[in-house]
Amino acid sequence: MTDNGVLKVAMPKGRIYKQASKLFRQAGLEIPEEFDDSRRLIIPVPEANMEFIMAKPVDVPTYVEYGVADIGIVGKDVLMEENKDVYELLDLAIAKCRMSVIGLPDWKPTIHPRVATKYPRVASQYFRELGQQVEVIKLNGSIELAPLIGLADRIVDMVETGQTLKENGLVERETLFQVTSRLIANRVSYRLKNVAIQELCDRLSVTIAARA
Ligand code: PRP
């Protein structure tokens, strides 16, 4: 690799980035604040010998699997859905939420159940393991609309504060799993840049433990 040992980090744009950059700063890494609200996609972080690749969260595992990023930060939800060939190194204990089955309060089992979700792989596996046959409909956002307008009778989606459910008159029925952001690594980078990656993991682990 001809990058002078710079660690390329796939960072999820948006709300996870704010929490991730805060965690990195607490771990003693000098992350310039000027980029917090920037539209720049490649951010050099020379003080930490890193370069941030600002990615759409769902694409982070792809960048890491292909090795264009050595490591990345991604929610467990995306990691489960994308199922890429990467190492999961650390639970960063940020961006805490949960993956749930949600429906209207008066939901009753139907003969041909339909479930709308951004996570078709996760949802299909969940219902398959329960032995329930459901039609899974993939949507890309505003999933809560689906039961309100009759596209699906339930949804599988993320719940953080519960505000979206409350404002739309929906209720959680079951929780599939808890979600936090994870540090992931490319398999080759993990060997070639092991010292730098391990040092970062150690720093982050100490900071996460101190926060708990
Ligand atoms: C996510 C998720 C829920 C909402 C949950 O959507 O899909 O809709 O946040 O958060 P809450 O429990 O704090 O209300 P996001 O904002 O990412 O937008 P999306 O509808 O485009 O998926």
Side-chain angles (χ1 to χ4, degrees):
M1 294 196 181
T2 56
D3 52 15
N4 300 320
V6 171
L7 213 50
K8 292 187 178 165
V9 188
M11 279 284 191
K13 287 191 284 187
R15 50 184 161 186
I16 300 180
Y17 178 73
K18 298 223 158 143
Q19 296 186 45
S21 57
K22 192 174 166 194
L23 175 69
F24 273 38
R25 284 186 192 112
Q26 282 183 358
L29 298 159
E30 282 183 49
I31 313 296
E33 293 196 18
E34 63 188 279
F35 296 116
D36 276 9
D37 298 307
S38 157
R39 305 283 295 172
R40 232 174 121 168
L41 297 174
I42 299 177
I43 300 179
V45 191
E47 295 82 1
N49 206 25
M50 288 180 185
E51 182 178 82
F52 288 175
I53 295 161
M54 304 304 291
K56 199 172 151 100
V58 70
D59 292 332
V60 166
T62 304
Y63 293 125
V64 174
E65 184 183 51
Y66 277 89
V68 292
D70 299 305
I71 59 173
I73 292 180
V74 63
K76 185 70 178 174
D77 54 323
V78 171
L79 209 49
M80 301 271 286
E81 181 63 29
E82 295 299 310
N83 196 32
K84 301 290 187 191
D85 186 21
V86 295
Y87 286 135
E88 184 179 331
L89 300 180
L90 204 58
D91 181 347
L92 300 175
I94 56 171
K96 291 180 187 170
C97 45
R98 55 194 181 273
M99 181 78 75
S100 294
V101 180
I102 293 152
L104 286 162
D106 60 358
W107 176 83
K108 299 232 166 27
T110 53
I111 299 171
H112 299 293
R114 291 201 303 217
V115 173
T117 186
K118 255 196 293 197
Y119 305 91
R121 187 176 182 277
V122 166
S124 300
Q125 187 180 340
Y126 175 73
F127 287 106
R128 197 168 47 244
E129 282 171 7
L130 287 178
Q132 294 179 21
Q133 213 170 9
V134 302
E135 181 183 350
V136 173
I137 301 170
K138 165 86 197 286
L139 292 177
N140 293 299
S142 303
I143 315 298
E144 290 81 1
L145 267 176
L148 302 180
I149 59 176
L151 176 64
D153 52 283
R154 283 167 298 169
I155 62 174
V156 169
D157 200 19
M158 303 278 284
V159 181
E160 189 180 0
T161 61
Q163 191 66 21
T164 309
L165 299 188
K166 203 171 155 204
E167 289 188 20
N168 292 289
L170 295 167
V171 293
E172 262 180 293
R173 309 198 61 86
E174 297 115 34
T175 299
L176 277 63
F177 50 86
Q178 300 294 323
V179 172
T180 48
S181 296
R182 310 298 163 106
L183 186 71
I184 59 171
N186 171 269
R187 289 182 179 273
V188 175
S189 299
Y190 186 69
R191 277 191 277 114
L192 295 182
K193 298 188 178 179
N194 189 264
V195 173
I197 293 174
Q198 201 50 56
E199 194 198 320
L200 176 66
C201 283
D202 292 346
R203 276 172 176 247
L204 290 172
S205 298
V206 170
T207 310
I208 294 161
R211 280 176 155 200

